[in-house]
Amino acid sequence: METTKTTVPIPDKKNIFTKQTFPVTGMTCAACAISVESIIKATEGVKDASVNYANQSAWIEYSDAVTIEEIQNRTRSIGYDLIVNEEDPFQAQQDQQQKHYEALKKRTVLAILLSIPITIIGMFFMDMPYGNYIMMTLATPVVFYFGRSFFTNAYKQAKHGKANMDTLVALSTGIAYLFSVFNTFFPAFWHERGLHAHVYFEAAAVIVAFISIGKLLEEKAKSNTSSAIKKLMGLQPKTVTVITDGKETEVPIASVVIGDIIVVKPGDKIPVDGEVTHGISFVDESMISGEPIPVEKSKDAKVYAGTINQKGSFQFKAEKVGGDTILAHIIKMVQEAQGSKPPVQKLVDKIAGIFVPMVIGIAILTFIAWMVLGTENALTHALLTSVSVLVIACPCALGLATPTAIMVGIGKGAENNILIKDAESLELGHKVNAIILDKTGTITEGKPVVTDLVWKADPKETTLFKQVLYSIELQSEHPLAEAVTEILKRENTASVVLDRFESITGKGVKATYSGKSYFIGNPKLMTQHQIEVDATLAEQASQWQKEAKTVVFFADDRTTLAAIAIADKVKATSKEAIRALHDRGIEVYMLTGDNAQTAQAVAQEVGLTHFKAEVMPSDKASFVKELQAQGKVVAMVGDGINDSHALAQADVSIAMGKGSDIAMDVAKMTLITSDLNMIPKALTLSSKTITTIKQNLFWAFIYNLIGIPVAAGLLYPYNGFLLDPMIAGAAMALSSVSVVGNSLRLKMIRFR
């Protein structure tokens, strides 16, 4: 993917600004994005910048007074990097993320393996010979090699006067480790004061291992970045066939210019926007309009890049190329929508922003208080209590509170045919109060089918007529023919050999069998050949048309034999699902590129009052923005490429499993069964998951609320009790166990 670059010329050269999007590497939390953004904005020559932690990118608007290399160096100075001067910077970013994930996975596994024997020795064989030295040897690589990222990230934050979860992990593990090393080499210091020289290597190692698991889960989500843009770009062929001096020549798409005559063969993707000059075919334009039935193209008809030609061949004149095509605009809109969202501020990060400085402050105050107010063992008590405060407050449970609940929630969703790609959708789902549904493939099946077939022929002759109808439709290239052959095939209809077959452009087909002529087509074809339309069939056809169904007649050379109604059927569960959403107090809207009559018929059938017809892809995204501007949390549900921009713009995006790969790539959730009843279930799952996360945070903090004052020595003046750091470590472990246990309760959710 190339960087987006727009240059706006202004007379004063100093005010010529370039706006570019770059991948950012090295960010591990939302606070990192804020740090990168602030350093870039502070660079002389930068007009504005926005860093997005969610998709690891930054757009920067800068003048000629500064080069992008200078901005890159400023970013590097605080430990992050911009990817510039790469042919495909976003691919380079994905490669780096994948390498980082693999390295983190290896470090996490090794940290767990080394922590197990440390924990066993520390808990059950504390007095074994050289036990402390063995634990120290095993704990050193865990804390300072496998856990080095916590220390480097804490240092980065400290340089900017900030603190986050990494700060508390680095402090607690670092102090617990150093305290244990001192006790290993100088146990006499404590023995002389009547105290046992405890070591806490297992606490330091287990903290690193547990938090690394949480980091690994988060990194996995980031490493599986969406390939939606690449797939959209893949809709444009690499080469095209151009007519030059009367000959067909294959050229790279980049060399196509306005006015070129391009040849499109059956099955080809149309490379650029243009106008048909010769030939007839049907083109699948569902990526733009959402309409499931391919559109007939003849001379002077418009064609669009990325749409797919069906069985016919034609030539067209290029009118819009490169970045001016409809497809290029869709790609740009999806990219901008994905990158314009503010960085996701996780609940834990917000809490940690207050909690971490408080814990550090309490530990320092504890040390000072004991030194000032303590007895003859003031230094001993000051060290023990301040270390106990940091160990008991170590955010193991805090770090596990969100990822464990999210992990179990995602697993529960998968069991119920709801694939969740991003934790953000689980976090926001319970807040959704407006849902937009695409029509084709979402509310409806997305494929034209025969809904009604009424015969007026003599029952004795019906079998033969079915065979003739089946045989004619087998040869027809019309997109609706397949729907008719499908229903007759299910009745085991046999085919016959036709004497003659003729396609009548825009109206239908004519065939001859056993010397008799037969016609299949619209009412205009019947009128043109002076075929009498049976009154009953005419009345039935009129009713079908009111229901927005396409009507096709089958006739011989004198009268109509049958009437066929074809439509994109509404899914059996759509009405029930929409009612369930209404019952939850959610406003439901339907947007479609189809005509107003069809849209109204579908809306009435499923009980919708809010709908819009003949909507273009950009209009769908604009409507999402409109609802968001009203303060609504918007979910978009779609299945086509034409929905991708709106899906990217929505707060919660849901794709139908039988839809396009691109829609599923952009969306944060995918419904495997394409059953709309899964949407209320997904929202319930979101609500339950958020409740579990809040409960987890409660359990994570209740130990701290009780334990920190006790660890600081609050009870000492009353009963002489001081909390041993070993017990503090056990309390920390217990809080982690309770959090994991509570998260597992999500597995027992029962959906209504």
Side-chain angles (χ1 to χ4, degrees):
M1 182 191 306
E2 297 180 357
T3 52
T4 306
K5 186 170 183 176
T6 310
T7 304
V8 184
I10 300 175
D12 183 356
K13 191 172 180 180
K14 287 182 182 176
N15 289 330
I16 295 177
F17 289 98
T18 300
K19 185 176 176 181
Q20 258 179 296
T21 302
F22 299 96
V24 183
T25 62
M27 296 193 298
T28 58
C29 64
C32 297
I34 295 166
S35 297
V36 175
E37 187 173 309
S38 60
I39 200 78
I40 293 174
K41 281 184 173 179
T43 306
E44 189 177 346
V46 173
K47 181 183 178 184
D48 197 10
S50 176
V51 178
N52 188 327
Y53 172 63
N55 69 2
Q56 303 280 292
S57 69
W59 65 256
I60 308 167
E61 195 170 359
Y62 59 99
S63 71
D64 290 357
V66 65
T67 65
I68 194 60
E69 285 75 19
E70 289 171 332
I71 299 171
Q72 182 186 37
N73 289 334
R74 288 275 288 170
T75 308
R76 285 174 173 172
S77 71
I78 59 167
Y80 307 97
D81 198 7
L82 296 178
I83 298 179
V84 301
N85 301 324
E86 289 275 351
E87 187 178 332
D88 189 343
F90 286 89
Q91 182 59 50
Q93 181 193 36
Q94 285 188 28
D95 293 342
Q96 282 193 27
Q97 284 179 338
Q98 188 59 35
K99 285 178 185 174
H100 177 63
Y101 170 72
E102 293 299 332
L104 179 60
K105 184 178 179 182
K106 189 181 292 183
R107 290 202 303 271
T108 302
V109 170
L110 289 172
I112 293 167
L113 290 176
L114 289 179
S115 296
I116 291 169
I118 300 172
T119 305
I120 292 170
I121 294 170
M123 298 294 286
F124 305 108
F125 304 101
M126 290 177 286
D127 299 322
M128 71 179 285
Y130 305 107
N132 287 359
Y133 291 96
I134 295 169
M135 287 192 289
M136 183 177 69
T137 304
L138 295 173
T140 302
V142 174
V143 175
F144 296 110
Y145 182 70
F146 302 134
R148 67 186 183 276
S149 63
F150 300 115
F151 293 91
T152 55
N153 292 334
Y155 174 68
K156 287 178 193 174
Q157 296 300 317
K159 281 205 304 185
H160 296 277
K162 296 184 175 73
N164 65 356
M165 297 287 289
D166 291 330
T167 308
L168 202 49
V169 174
L171 273 174
S172 57
T173 56
I175 290 172
Y177 176 85
L178 294 173
F179 187 68
S180 300
V181 169
F182 178 84
N183 290 357
T184 299
F185 288 108
F186 307 105
F189 177 85
W190 302 105
H191 295 160
E192 290 167 3
R193 290 159 177 77
L195 297 167
H196 185 69
H198 282 301
V199 294
Y200 308 101
F201 291 119
E202 83 286 348
V206 168
I207 287 166
V208 169
F210 274 8
I211 302 296
S212 293
I213 292 170
K215 290 276 185 187
L216 187 69
L217 291 172
E218 183 182 342
E219 201 63 33
K220 182 172 176 61
K222 283 200 305 187
S223 68
N224 293 332
T225 51
S226 169
S227 58
I229 304 294
K230 282 194 164 187
K231 288 195 176 179
L232 278 169
M233 293 175 80
L235 289 173
Q236 197 174 43
K238 298 283 187 290
T239 59
V240 298
T241 304
V242 176
I243 294 181
T244 310
D245 299 328
K247 294 181 181 178
E248 292 187 8
T249 310
E250 194 169 285
V251 300
I253 190 164
S255 65
V256 174
V257 295
I258 294 171
D260 279 352
I261 301 298
I262 297 168
V263 178
V264 180
K265 296 174 181 175
D268 282 357
K269 292 171 184 172
I270 293 168
V272 296
D273 294 0
E275 187 176 279
V276 176
T277 57
H278 178 74
I280 297 171
S281 186
F282 289 89
V283 175
D284 179 357
E285 292 187 343
S286 60
M287 63 156 283
I288 291 172
S289 66
E291 170 57 47
I293 300 171
V295 180
E296 185 176 0
K297 299 292 179 182
S298 54
K299 194 173 185 302
D300 299 332
K302 299 288 183 185
V303 291
Y304 304 100
T307 56
I308 302 169
N309 184 32
Q310 301 291 287
K311 296 177 182 177
S313 296
F314 63 91
Q315 298 173 9
F316 76 96
K317 182 170 72 176
E319 293 184 333
K320 290 181 181 178
V321 299
D324 294 327
T325 65
I326 293 282
L327 175 62
H329 284 301
I330 291 175
I331 292 170
K332 186 181 176 186
M333 289 186 298
V334 170
Q335 188 176 0
E336 287 179 355
Q338 284 185 325
S340 64
K341 291 180 182 178
V344 180
Q345 296 293 339
K346 301 294 183 185
L347 184 57
V348 173
D349 283 325
K350 291 178 181 176
I351 295 169
I354 303 165
F355 177 68
V356 174
M358 278 180 61
V359 170
I360 296 168
I362 291 168
I364 293 168
L365 285 173
T366 299
F367 186 88
I368 293 169
W370 276 102
M371 290 301 293
V372 173
L373 305 172
T375 58
E376 55 182 332
N377 288 326
L379 177 62
T380 304
H381 291 149
L383 279 170
L384 282 173
T385 52
S386 55
V387 169
S388 291
V389 166
L390 287 170
V391 171
I392 201 167
C394 180
C396 245
L398 197 58
L400 291 169
T402 300
T404 53
I406 293 294
M407 186 170 64
V408 177
I410 288 172
K412 185 67 179 177
E415 287 175 15
N416 288 273
N417 298 314
I418 304 164
L419 289 185
I420 298 160
K421 279 172 54 182
D422 193 320
E424 184 187 357
S425 56
L426 265 184
E427 291 176 6
L428 285 175
H430 73 293
K431 295 181 181 177
V432 166
N433 50 21
I435 287 184
I436 299 170
L437 303 175
D438 173 48
K439 177 185 76 71
T440 307
T442 301
I443 294 176
T444 65
E445 297 286 356
K447 181 184 176 184
V449 294
V450 173
T451 59
D452 305 273
L453 174 53
V454 177
W455 290 93
K456 285 302 290 184
D458 187 327
K460 293 177 183 177
E461 297 180 306
T462 299
T463 301
L464 173 64
F465 290 147
K466 279 185 180 180
Q467 292 173 350
V468 173
L469 174 61
Y470 181 55
S471 304
I472 295 172
E473 293 290 48
L474 277 175
Q475 289 194 36
S476 175
E477 292 184 354
H478 196 283
L480 297 181
E482 191 178 339
V484 179
T485 57
E486 193 64 34
I487 193 170
L488 293 174
K489 193 188 295 181
R490 287 202 297 268
E491 295 178 10
N492 297 317
T493 306
S495 61
V496 294
V497 180
L498 301 174
D499 303 328
R500 190 164 170 246
F501 179 90
E502 177 189 348
S503 180
I504 305 169
T505 304
K507 293 172 184 172
V509 295
K510 177 183 178 182
T512 307
Y513 175 68
S514 295
K516 190 175 181 181
S517 295
Y518 294 92
F519 299 85
I520 304 172
N522 57 26
K524 287 181 184 176
L525 183 69
M526 303 297 114
T527 304
Q528 181 183 328
H529 288 82
Q530 298 178 344
I531 296 169
E532 181 189 350
V533 178
D534 178 86
T536 307
L537 291 182
E539 187 180 336
Q540 184 66 73
S542 177
Q543 179 59 39
W544 288 338
Q545 285 170 335
K546 288 177 186 174
E547 296 169 9
K549 295 178 181 179
T550 300
V551 176
V552 178
F553 288 112
F554 173 50
D556 57 20
D557 53 7
R558 291 181 298 103
T559 185
T560 48
L561 305 171
I564 308 165
I566 300 172
D568 184 10
K569 277 180 71 177
V570 170
K571 292 175 185 173
T573 56
S574 292
K575 186 173 183 178
E576 179 189 343
I578 289 167
R579 185 170 61 245
L581 292 171
H582 282 149
D583 290 344
R584 294 173 77 105
I586 296 172
E587 294 177 8
V588 184
Y589 302 82
M590 181 183 78
L591 301 185
T592 178
D594 214 338
N595 63 71
Q597 187 181 10
T598 302
Q600 185 171 10
V602 171
Q604 285 177 346
E605 187 173 345
V606 296
L608 280 175
T609 53
H610 305 296
F611 67 91
K612 282 189 174 186
E614 297 174 4
V615 178
M616 292 295 285
S618 57
D619 298 330
K620 290 186 180 183
S622 297
F623 188 67
V624 173
K625 286 182 185 175
E626 191 182 311
L627 292 178
Q628 288 171 331
Q630 297 170 19
K632 297 185 187 298
V633 178
V634 182
M636 172 71 197
V637 186
D639 78 320
I641 298 162
N642 63 311
D643 302 316
S644 57
H645 180 200
L647 286 167
Q649 179 63 43
D651 299 296
V652 176
S653 46
I654 304 171
M656 311 306 284
K658 293 178 182 175
S660 75
D661 287 348
I662 290 155
M664 286 186 274
D665 268 1
V666 174
K668 301 293 176 62
M669 290 188 188
T670 298
L671 308 180
I672 298 174
T673 62
S674 291
D675 180 355
L676 286 185
N677 271 324
M678 293 296 111
I679 297 174
K681 288 185 178 181
L683 300 184
T684 299
L685 181 62
S686 166
S687 179
K688 298 284 187 185
T689 304
I690 292 301
T691 301
T692 301
I693 289 173
K694 289 177 179 175
Q695 290 170 348
N696 285 350
L697 292 174
F698 168 79
W699 286 113
F701 278 110
I702 195 70
Y703 294 100
N704 293 320
L705 291 173
I706 297 168
I708 288 175
V710 174
L714 187 67
L715 299 178
Y716 187 79
Y718 305 104
N719 56 15
F721 177 77
L722 278 180
L723 183 67
D724 191 302
M726 189 70 181
I727 299 172
M732 178 273 296
L734 184 60
S735 68
S736 299
V737 171
S738 64
V739 160
V740 173
N742 190 52
S743 294
L744 291 172
R745 289 174 58 246
L746 273 172
K747 285 180 169 286
M748 296 184 285
I749 292 178
R750 291 288 179 267
F751 294 109
R752 283 184 298 167

